Amino acid sequence: MFDAAATSAGLSARGLIDLKTALDGKLRSIWQSRAEEGGWANVRRFAEFELLKLCEAQGLAVPAAALRLSRRYVESFREERIVNVWRNNRKVFDDGKPRVNRTWTGFEPMARVVADVKHLDVVLHRPDGSEAWPKVIGFQDGGTGRVFLYPVLLAKGEGVRQEHVVEAFLAMVGEPLWGFPQGLYLDNGSEFAIFERIRPALDLVSAEAGRTIIYSKPYNASAKTIENAFRRLDRYLFSIMPGYVGGDRMNKKVQTVGRPPAPYPGSWADFCATLRGLLINFNARPVGGQWGGRSADDWLREKQEAGWRPVSIDPLVLDAAFCSRELRKIDRGALRIEGERFYHPSLDGLPHGSPVEVALPWRRGAPPLFRPAGGAWAYVDRDHAYPADWKDGARDAGRRQRAYAKAVAARARAVEPFDPVAAALEQAARYAPPTPLGRADRLDAGGELRALADGSANVPPRESAPSREEAERRRREAQTARILRSQNVA
């Protein structure tokens, strides 16, 4: 319709081709702008206006009815909208980037463990009655797909910190079927930076050379397999728990319209126990795709039969890696930490007041550690109090004191005795004191000083200090004189 109207208005065939080329460029530009977010009809409206301006520039009088563009023609440039996505919605753009398929099934168990934090859409009550939304720190074994969850109940306004991540990691390492990983694939959050402390240990455990700690790119969820596991957990595990309200907090799943959702009915311990039981069921659930319709536990059994065994590490080593360190002074054979006394037999031989390095593990319930100079880390136990009438207390005190005296005697035998008197006399013998130079000058005091010395001088007596009453009288008289002077009174 437009072609006929433009030709009637005097536009040549060549001019018609040039006009269409110009309009094509305008349509591409419009699709690349934010105008495309309004849909194809919005793009067509802008394009028709641009067509009108092109006609006016060439002096063409084309009826308004002929300036209508078809939807097929407008949407033929729809692919250009990716430019607007790239400019203004980088998350959507990154999700659409070309990718390759990766399979994790060839990994040995614990060869690569993926970690992340998830906010649960389950509401419950804290012990004080306030509403809480717990979080879980999740670990997924890349070689089997199984998941380990560590629930965390935080105070209001508190976020997951490094201490919580360490607690979760140590809990996973302590599980008999998990153990110490060869490598970690971590989110970019600051709470995971603490794992740099154990990079040397990961290098020792790793079966092959390479990076043992890998940090994911921001906003790259598809590269973390645990994100897909979290979606499956929402569908099959969290959604069946009492207190689940769904992912949309503005559209809560509630039992009664107009009322808040009913929270999880049990205590925090009950919630954790329920979560552990449901997680067992989740890891036994068949998974499709690269996992071939088998469960994570099926893959674990297969690789156990092939010879895989978990790597265990002494908890003391991990507690010494994830802790706060400080110096404490020995207080009569014990250490005072947070108002309590802690004891270890190795402290018996150390002098009162000597400093030792103390480690306060972040693992919940772990006892403190200490390390004497040149020694190894060791746990210290609470120094319990004996009842006053127990003989065991006297025996233990005697044992500690004998050990203390024995250690001091060993220190004495380890070095040659030092005699400070002999050393001081030897220093004095080598010291050259100053000597007088020539005859000493004498002071001629004269007759006045000799008269004072023999008491014959006539020295006027010193005026005694005025009494308190006299001093007060003089003060008042001086004040009156100052007032009179200020008033120019003769």
Side-chain angles (χ1 to χ4, degrees), residues 267-280:
S267 64
W268 174 245
D270 297 334
F271 176 84
C272 294
T274 302
L275 184 63
R276 284 193 296 270
L278 293 177
L279 189 58
I280 294 173

Side-chain angles (χ1 to χ4, degrees), residues 302-379:
E302 177 182 315
K303 295 182 178 183
Q304 280 180 313
E305 293 171 359
W308 176 82
R309 296 294 181 270
V311 176
S312 62
I313 289 186
D314 187 351
L316 185 147
V317 175
L318 293 174
D319 284 337
F322 299 116
C323 63
S324 301
R325 299 186 183 181
E326 54 190 62
L327 289 177
R328 293 292 178 99
K329 292 184 178 180
I330 296 177
D331 180 15
R332 291 163 294 180
L335 293 170
R336 285 195 173 274
I337 301 174
E338 296 181 355
E340 295 187 77
R341 285 172 58 90
F342 288 84
Y343 171 75
H344 187 274
S346 300
L347 294 172
D348 291 339
L350 299 177
H352 171 73
S354 58
V356 294
E357 189 176 8
V358 173
L360 306 178
W362 292 340
R363 180 168 60 93
R364 190 174 303 171
L369 300 96
F370 91 103
R371 180 168 61 181
W377 286 107
Y379 287 118

Side-chain angles (χ1 to χ4, degrees), residues 147-431:
V147 176
F148 179 89
L149 297 178
Y150 185 83
V152 180
L153 183 63
L154 303 172
K156 187 175 182 180
E158 184 182 15
V160 173
R161 302 191 306 273
Q162 292 183 352
E163 293 89 336
H164 302 119
V165 173
V166 168
E167 282 185 7
F169 178 76
L170 295 179
M172 178 199 69
V173 171
E175 284 292 314
L177 291 177
W178 285 78
F180 199 80
Q182 294 183 28
L184 292 170
Y185 191 95
L186 304 172
D187 188 77
N188 236 346
S190 60
E191 66 271 17
F192 290 106
I194 192 65
F195 287 115
E196 289 294 334
R197 291 193 179 190
I198 59 168
R199 188 184 285 272
L202 292 169
D203 292 338
L204 291 174
V205 175
S206 181
E208 51 188 58
R211 292 185 297 165
T212 52
I213 298 180
I214 299 175
Y215 295 98
S216 64
K217 293 181 179 180
Y219 310 109
N220 192 26
S222 61
K224 294 183 294 184
T225 59
I226 197 170
E227 293 286 352
N228 184 51
F230 281 160
R231 285 191 289 271
R232 294 179 58 246
L233 284 164
D234 275 328
R235 180 180 300 176
Y236 303 120
L237 191 155
F238 301 125
S239 62
I240 66 174
M241 297 185 73
Y244 179 76
V245 300
D248 186 359
R249 299 285 176 90
M250 301 303 294
N251 184 23
K252 298 176 181 178
K253 298 175 187 270
V254 296
Q255 293 78 10
T256 304
V257 176
R259 295 184 182 179
Y264 183 84
S267 64
W268 174 245
D270 297 334
F271 176 84
C272 294
T274 302
L275 184 63
R276 284 193 296 270
L278 293 177
L279 189 58
I280 294 173
N281 181 270
F282 178 82
N283 285 326
R285 187 182 187 88
V287 184
Q290 63 177 303
W291 304 104
R294 289 186 288 170
S295 70
D297 287 344
D298 292 336
W299 282 94
L300 177 63
R301 292 188 190 96
E302 177 182 315
K303 295 182 178 183
Q304 280 180 313
E305 293 171 359
W308 176 82
R309 296 294 181 270
V311 176
S312 62
I313 289 186
D314 187 351
L316 185 147
V317 175
L318 293 174
D319 284 337
F322 299 116
C323 63
S324 301
R325 299 186 183 181
E326 54 190 62
L327 289 177
R328 293 292 178 99
K329 292 184 178 180
I330 296 177
D331 180 15
R332 291 163 294 180
L335 293 170
R336 285 195 173 274
I337 301 174
E338 296 181 355
E340 295 187 77
R341 285 172 58 90
F342 288 84
Y343 171 75
H344 187 274
S346 300
L347 294 172
D348 291 339
L350 299 177
H352 171 73
S354 58
V356 294
E357 189 176 8
V358 173
L360 306 178
W362 292 340
R363 180 168 60 93
R364 190 174 303 171
L369 300 96
F370 91 103
R371 180 168 61 181
W377 286 107
Y379 287 118
V380 290
D381 299 320
R382 283 181 173 80
D383 193 18
H384 61 275
Y386 289 97
D389 57 346
W390 279 28
K391 294 181 179 180
D392 291 343
R395 295 191 189 99
D396 194 13
R399 180 192 59 77
R400 297 186 189 188
Q401 293 165 10
R402 287 191 299 272
Y404 185 69
K406 184 177 179 181
V408 174
R411 286 174 179 267
R413 292 191 300 269
V415 297
E416 183 180 353
F418 178 77
D419 186 351
V421 174
L425 291 175
E426 183 179 357
Q427 289 177 351
R430 297 186 181 189
Y431 178 66

